[in-house]
Structures are given as C-alpha cells and as structure tokens.
DNA sequence: CCCTGATTCGC
DNA sequence: GCGAATCAGG
C-alpha cells in the first residue's frame, strides 16, 4: 500500500469523523488492519478500545512455512497453557472520557475577510467528505475550493492543522498577480 | 458468530 | 514502514 499524502489526510479525516476502522478501510480500498496499523503508526488518537491488553504474552506468529512443517494448527481460541504465570494485575488505565469528535480547532482562526480574499468565485468544489460515502446521505462540502487545494478554506483549516490562512492569502495574491 | 479496535511481528 | 495474523472485549 502506498500511503500518499492524500490517503493519509483522508484517513485522518475519516478517523476523526468517528467512522469505524472497517468503514475507513473500505472507503480507502484497504483492509481495516492496514488502516489501524497506519493510524497507530502515525500516532492518531486511540479510540475507545473494547479490549484492554493486560499483558504481552508474545504470541507465536504464523509459521513462515519454510521447509516442511508437519502440521500444526492454531485454534481460534488457543489457551490453557501449562504455565500459570502470576500477574501483578497490570491494569492499564483507561481515562480518556470522551468525545472522539471535536476537531482540534486551534491557532488557525479564519476570519471572514480572509475567507473572502481566499475564495475564488469559480473553480473546483471542496472535496471534504460529509457523511458516509457508501450511503445515500453522503455529500461533499461542495464549496468552491481554494486554488491548488482540494478543500474550501474552512476545510483546509480542518484538514491541515497547521494551516495558516494568512499565508494562503499571500499565495492567492501571488496567483492573482500572475 | 457477528462486530469492534489494538498489538505484534514477519516481511 | 507496512499490514496480516492475532488478541480480546461486547
């Protein structure tokens, strides 16, 4: 899988939209494993995990199937080893109370004046996903996109957390001047 | 048995 | 870095 910048952005957006890993994976055309793997690799916020891994039992991974292996089969619910390892109850704290939503609207304030300066009167539409692309209630933002960006000004501010509207204004000025 | 997300580890 | 296999809870 090639994690392009666009893919990562989409992933992040869907992730922060509260969609399930499976949904995101389907929409991006990959397995949920790939999604969650990438997610935790790039450090996306963990969500409410149904489970809590109390320990690291160091599971024997699937046999590499080199040479011959006389058989052997790992059942779905393997357990009951003759090793009663006493654990000192390493309870993993589960604070994080809530609201997976709430986009991190920080420093980048977008004033109406900036918006007016940024937004062209015509051009491609904002590709910000609204809702679930697989269902009927899906929609795009559909505002006019910023020059060179797939999103409108508002959603650029959401897509790029380090988005600086002022620099964007500068860029637009440069384009208009040229 | 279905779903969910998390983690590990071979590649 | 990637993701399938696996774990684990509901």
């Amino acid at each position: 899988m090639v994690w392009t910048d666009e893919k990562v952005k989409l992933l992040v957006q869907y992730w922060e939209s509260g969609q399930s890993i499976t949904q995101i994976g389907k929409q991006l055309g990959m397995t949920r494993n790939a999604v969650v793997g990438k997610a935790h690799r790039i450090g996306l916020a963990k969500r409410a995990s149904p489970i809590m891994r109390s320990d690291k039992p160091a599971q024997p991974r699937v046999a590499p199937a080199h040479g011959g292996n006389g058989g052997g089969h790992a059942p779905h619910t393997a357990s009951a080893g003759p090793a009663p390892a006493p654990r000192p109850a390493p309870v993993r704290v589960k604070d994080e109370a809530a609201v997976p939503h709430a986009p991190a609207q920080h420093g980048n304030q977008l004033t109406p004046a900036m918006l007016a300066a940024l937004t062209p009167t015509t051009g491609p539409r904002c590709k910000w996903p609204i809702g679930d692309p697989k269902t009927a209630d899906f929609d795009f933002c559909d505002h006019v996109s910023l020059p060179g960006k797939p999103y409108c000004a508002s959603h650029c501010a959401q897509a790029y957390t380090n988005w600086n509207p002022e620099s964007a204004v500068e860029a637009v000025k440069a384009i208009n001047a040229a």
Side-chain angles (χ1 to χ4, degrees), chain A residues 9 25 41 45 47 50-51 61 83 94 100 104 112 116 133 136 144 150-151 169:
Chain A
K9 293 226 176 77
R41 224 170 291 128
R47 286 130 123 215
I51 68 170
R61 215 66 352 225
K94 188 191 172 189
V144 178
Y151 308 123
V169 172

Side-chain angles (χ1 to χ4, degrees), chain A residues 5 7 15-16 31 53-54 69 92 97 110 120 147 178:
Chain A
D5 201 42
K7 289 279 191 61
W15 186 274
E16 295 185 346
T31 67
R53 210 156 261 231
S54 51
N69 190 313
R92 190 155 297 184
L110 187 63

Side-chain angles (χ1 to χ4, degrees), chain A residues 22-46:
Chain A
T22 309
Q23 291 295 302
I24 299 172
K26 283 177 181 174
Q27 288 155 32
L28 266 63
M30 65 188 71
T31 67
R32 68 191 192 92
N33 302 319
V35 173
V36 73
K38 181 64 178 177
H40 103 74
R41 224 170 291 128
I42 66 180
L44 281 175
K46 294 181 178 9

